[in-house]
Amino acid sequence: MKRHEIVKEYITEASVEAIMLTRNSNIQWFFEGEVDPRIDTSSEFGGFWLLITHSMVIALCPDYDSERVKDEVLPRDVEILSFSGLLSMIDSASRLCSKFKKIAVDSDVSFSCSNYVPLDESFYEKTQLLTDREILRLRVLGKLSENILCEFAPELQPGMTEIEIEKVLRAIFIESGLEIPTLCVSSDERISKSPYPVSTAKKVSKYLMLRATIKKQGLTVSFSRYFHFGAVPHEIEEKHERASGIAAKAAIAIMRAKSMGEVYEEIRNAYIALNAVDEITRFSPGGSIGYTQNKFLFSPDSQIAMKSPASYAIGPRIGGLFSEDTVLLNPDGTAEFVTLGEDFPKVKVRLESFRVHRPWIMII
C-alpha cells in the first residue's frame, strides 16, 4: 500500500517504532478512501483502529464486529486482532502498544503510558498529498455538488422557508451518495449576520445563500453560492465583486506561494487594497482541506509548506458575503476550482496575465 510507505517514512523520521490511528479521517486517508471505518458517523473515532509498523498493518477491533470488518470492510492483507468489547479493546491496545519503546498516536483514547507521543504536524503535512485516483474523485465530488444546486435552482421560489430548502437539498445530496456535514441556507438580511447562518423557518423574500461542506469517501469540498429573485441591487453586486477579487488573488497566491503564511499575506494585502483589512481578522480566509479539515489554516507567519497535488478551501468574506470554493493545486502548479462547474453564472476577474472565473449570483 502506498500509504504504508508514507507511514514508514514518518516512523523513521519521528524515531518511533509504530503509529496508532484511531480517528476516522486518518484511517480513511490510509486506505485512500476505499475503507470506511465508521459505525457512528457523529464520532471522530473509528469502529476499529490501526496499528502500523514498518512490517505490518493490524486492525484492532471489538469481537462483536470483527467478522463484518474482516469480510466486508478491510483488504485481505490486513490482519485483525479482536477484543471482547470496546473497553477491553482500549485496555488491550494499551498493553499491546506498551511493548514498543515509543509509539505515535493520533489521540489519547484513554492511553496513559509514558511511551506514547502525539502524531506531529509533519505527519499531517504528508496526508495532504492526493493520489491520481483521489484527484479524480475530488473533481467528481466538486462538480456533482455544484450541479445539484444548479438543477435544484428552478425549484426555488419566494415564500419557501430556509429549513424547507435545506431538507430537500439534503435529501438530494444523500440520494446522490454524498454526505453533508454542513449545509447553511440563509436569506435576505440573515445572509450577512454570521459565517454559519443555520437554516430557520424564515421565508425567503429576494436573496438566498447556500453554504455547504460535502464529503464522499473521506474527501471534503466546501463552497458557497448565491441566488436572487429578480434584478440584483447594485449594492449586492458590488459586495460580490469585492469578494470575487479577493478569492481570485487567493487562487493565484496558492499557485505561487511556498508557505501557507505567504498565501495569508497575499489575501491580507487584497483586503488592504479594498480598505477592509479588519475583515480578515473576523473569519479565516481558508486553509487545507481533504481528509482532515482545518488542520492547517492560511494564517500569519505559518511555515506550513504548500503541497501539490493537494486541495485547499478559500473563503474570503467581505461585507458579510463569501466567495468560497475548493481549489486543487495540481502537480504542474496550476490551481483548479473543483467546485466550479459549467452551468453556474460566472464573473471573470482580470489580474495581471490571469483571467480567473468566480461564481456570480444566479438570477431566478
Side-chain angles (χ1 to χ4, degrees):
M1 289 178 284
K2 293 179 181 178
R3 295 281 156 84
H4 193 184
E5 295 302 316
I6 294 175
V7 171
K8 288 193 287 186
E9 179 183 341
Y10 174 79
I11 287 174
T12 300
E13 292 174 355
S15 299
V16 297
E17 293 181 298
I19 71 168
M20 172 78 81
L21 301 181
T22 67
R23 298 183 185 274
N24 289 312
S25 56
N26 291 331
I27 298 171
Q28 287 180 303
W29 166 81
F30 184 80
F31 290 110
E32 298 183 26
E34 299 297 331
V35 166
D36 191 343
R38 298 173 300 174
I39 297 174
D40 177 1
T41 57
S42 67
S43 172
E44 62 181 327
F45 296 107
F48 61 85
W49 305 334
L50 292 182
L51 174 64
I52 308 169
T53 70
H54 271 289
S55 60
M56 63 183 181
V57 179
I58 298 175
L60 311 180
C61 183
D63 58 2
Y64 56 72
D65 204 32
S66 61
E67 186 174 349
R68 179 190 68 87
V69 169
K70 178 180 179 180
D71 294 342
E72 302 177 5
V73 180
L74 285 172
R76 297 298 179 188
D77 57 349
V78 177
E79 183 180 349
I80 295 180
L81 286 181
S82 61
F83 305 94
S84 57
L86 180 60
L87 293 178
S88 174
M89 186 174 85
I90 294 174
D91 181 61
S92 299
S94 296
R95 291 199 303 271
L96 177 63
C97 293
S98 66
K99 299 180 183 298
F100 297 99
K101 291 181 180 178
K102 187 185 288 186
I103 180 170
V105 297
D106 61 357
S107 64
D108 58 24
V109 287
S110 301
F111 294 157
S112 58
C113 300
S114 60
N115 63 328
Y116 292 110
V117 295
L119 287 176
D120 62 26
E121 284 190 345
S122 67
F123 174 82
Y124 290 102
E125 285 190 66
K126 296 176 189 296
T127 68
Q128 293 182 76
L129 294 171
L130 302 175
T131 65
D132 290 344
R133 183 166 54 180
E134 287 167 328
I135 289 171
L136 177 60
R137 289 211 316 267
L138 187 74
R139 287 171 172 154
V140 171
L141 172 60
K143 297 301 187 292
L144 175 59
S145 297
E146 195 202 57
N147 286 345
I148 287 173
L149 293 189
C150 290
E151 292 176 5
F152 178 65
E155 305 300 321
L156 294 169
Q157 296 179 15
M160 299 176 72
T161 67
E162 296 168 351
I163 198 69
E164 285 172 347
I165 294 170
E166 179 184 340
K167 286 179 179 178
V168 175
L169 269 176
R170 279 191 179 276
I172 296 173
F173 280 123
I174 291 170
E175 187 177 351
S176 301
L178 306 178
E179 299 174 40
I180 319 96
T182 305
L183 180 56
C184 296
V185 180
S186 63
S187 61
D188 307 305
E189 72 280 356
R190 290 194 66 244
I191 289 175
S192 61
K193 283 189 174 181
S194 168
Y196 296 99
V198 176
S199 313
T200 69
K202 178 191 175 300
K203 292 184 178 180
V204 179
S205 177
K206 288 282 188 180
Y207 189 29
L208 183 68
M209 181 190 80
L210 303 176
R211 185 164 192 238
T213 301
I214 310 293
K215 298 186 74 169
K216 185 174 178 65
Q217 291 180 264
L219 286 175
T220 307
V221 297
S222 65
F223 62 107
S224 299
R225 294 294 182 265
Y226 293 81
F227 305 81
H228 200 277
F229 296 103
V232 181
H234 175 71
E235 178 186 358
I236 292 177
E237 285 190 336
E238 187 176 45
K239 288 181 179 179
H240 279 277
E241 287 175 355
R242 288 157 63 89
S244 296
I246 295 176
K249 290 183 179 179
I252 294 172
I254 285 173
M255 290 190 290
R256 293 176 169 176
K258 293 182 179 179
S259 70
M260 299 190 75
E262 290 178 17
V263 176
Y264 178 87
E265 285 305 312
E266 288 299 315
I267 297 173
R268 183 175 182 275
N269 289 337
Y271 276 101
I272 291 173
L274 295 174
N275 295 316
V277 68
D278 59 317
E279 297 266 10
I280 199 172
T281 64
R282 298 177 184 173
F283 187 79
S284 169
S288 62
I289 192 172
Y291 287 98
T292 306
Q293 290 178 258
N294 301 323
K295 183 66 180 178
F296 302 119
L297 297 175
F298 300 130
S299 57
D301 303 318
S302 171
Q303 297 303 308
I304 299 298
M306 297 295 294
K307 300 288 187 178
S308 65
S311 56
Y312 298 89
I314 58 170
R317 186 173 185 257
I318 187 165
L321 303 182
F322 283 101
S323 184
E324 181 179 17
D325 271 302
T326 299
V327 178
L328 171 65
L329 181 57
N330 286 302
D332 63 1
T334 58
E336 173 186 347
F337 290 108
V338 295
T339 42
L340 187 56
E342 299 296 326
D343 297 329
F344 207 89
K346 300 174 187 65
V347 62
K348 187 182 294 184
V349 181
R350 293 175 172 83
L351 292 171
E352 304 172 27
S353 60
F354 295 95
R355 301 294 183 269
V356 183
H357 288 94
R358 299 301 304 128
W360 195 234
I361 309 158
M362 179 176 283
I363 299 175
I364 302 175

